[in-house]
Amino acid sequence: MTDPVSHRQALAPEPFAVLSRVPAIGNLILGVRADGALLEGLGAIDSVELEDGFAVLRGPARETRLDLSKIGSIVADQMVMKNVLPFLEILDTDGKAIAKLTALDGLERFDAALEGIERLPLDAAPPAARPDPGDEPADGPLKAAEAAAEPVTLQAVKNGVVHRWSGTLTSVSFSHGFLNAMQPDMHLHIRAGAIASWKKESVDGSDVFSAIDGHGKAIGLTLKAEAGALAV
């Protein structure tokens, strides 16, 4: 059996030099995976700014703050579905994923955006492990936000990144082992069994709901709404 052809490449060692090119990539999916939950922002990134050691990527209703000191490497790769979808993976110093940016406007635009940045070939990444599904995750604040039609902020936090989206939830449903919230500019996918409950706290005039797993640990996903706006 032959090894798969690798399109994986390490990019220049200066992370901000790479991230500053992201607006030129065009439409993309920027995903951050909390423990069992994936929050994705869809659309173009309008700006990338350097703020106190963070690369801050902003688009309409979306903001992603990447701690440059936590980034070990950035790699380019691609996957083939109906079309070739190139992507950037932002990895920490242990090689674990911080965030993934999947380009939607094609390989030619992706390569043009990164023109002049040195790339070094890497071996193909091994396939990701897929955990067994569990019970349907608790959906209380998500369904309450949909019913109330009130604006909320979803936030995913993990080592090296804070990723948030603000808007009104209109479609929350459970299907094929995942609880999904699907918007034109945001997708949220929560694996079955990942959330056992939500912890509510009052913070500066807002209700903040933190997703808790079956071991009582916060997974890094929160939902924030105006105090009293959600019937949970």
Side-chain angles (χ1 to χ4, degrees):
M1 182 175 179
T2 58
D3 293 332
V5 174
S6 178
H7 300 282
R8 197 167 180 83
Q9 300 167 319
L11 302 186
E14 173 47 56
F16 191 76
V18 177
L19 294 172
S20 65
R21 305 288 190 94
V22 169
I25 292 174
N27 289 304
L28 53 79
I29 301 172
L30 199 170
V32 171
R33 195 177 295 276
D35 192 3
L38 173 63
L39 178 61
E40 299 176 317
L42 281 71
I45 297 299
D46 295 331
S47 66
V48 179
E49 299 176 351
L50 183 61
E51 297 182 2
D52 299 322
F54 286 79
V56 184
L57 287 65
R58 293 186 174 97
R62 306 185 308 279
E63 180 183 276
T64 307
R65 303 181 67 86
L66 291 155
D67 185 344
L68 294 173
S69 71
K70 303 293 186 181
I71 298 176
S73 62
I74 300 179
V75 301
D77 206 338
Q78 57 184 250
M79 54 187 173
V80 180
M81 301 179 75
K82 289 184 178 179
N83 302 304
V84 174
L85 291 177
F87 60 87
L88 296 176
E89 273 191 312
I90 303 170
L91 308 175
D92 67 15
T93 54
D94 294 324
K96 296 179 181 178
I98 296 175
K100 181 178 179 180
L101 293 81
T102 303
L104 301 177
D105 289 337
L107 184 59
E108 183 176 350
R109 180 163 182 172
F110 179 83
D111 285 340
L114 300 175
E115 185 177 1
I117 293 179
E118 182 182 4
R119 305 194 198 188
L120 300 175
L122 298 171
D123 292 337
R130 295 186 177 274
D132 294 330
D135 298 328
E136 184 173 345
D139 60 7
L142 294 166
K143 294 297 287 185
E146 179 184 24
E150 293 286 346
V152 299
T153 295
L154 292 170
Q155 180 171 277
V157 178
K158 66 187 303 183
N159 186 34
V161 63
V162 177
H163 179 50
R164 63 175 63 99
W165 168 88
S166 297
T168 303
L169 295 176
T170 59
S171 176
V172 179
S173 63
F174 184 77
S175 177
H176 301 292
F178 285 87
L179 178 66
N180 303 295
M182 309 290 283
Q183 313 284 134
D185 61 349
M186 182 279 293
H187 291 171
L188 174 65
H189 307 287
I190 302 170
R191 178 173 45 81
I195 300 176
S197 63
W198 295 78
K199 179 182 178 181
K200 178 181 176 181
E201 298 176 284
S202 296
V203 181
D204 297 330
S206 298
D207 290 334
V208 178
F209 300 86
S210 299
I212 308 297
D213 68 14
H215 302 288
K217 176 186 173 184
I219 70 169
L221 176 70
T222 61
L223 181 150
K224 182 172 74 171
E226 183 179 345
L230 307 185
V232 180

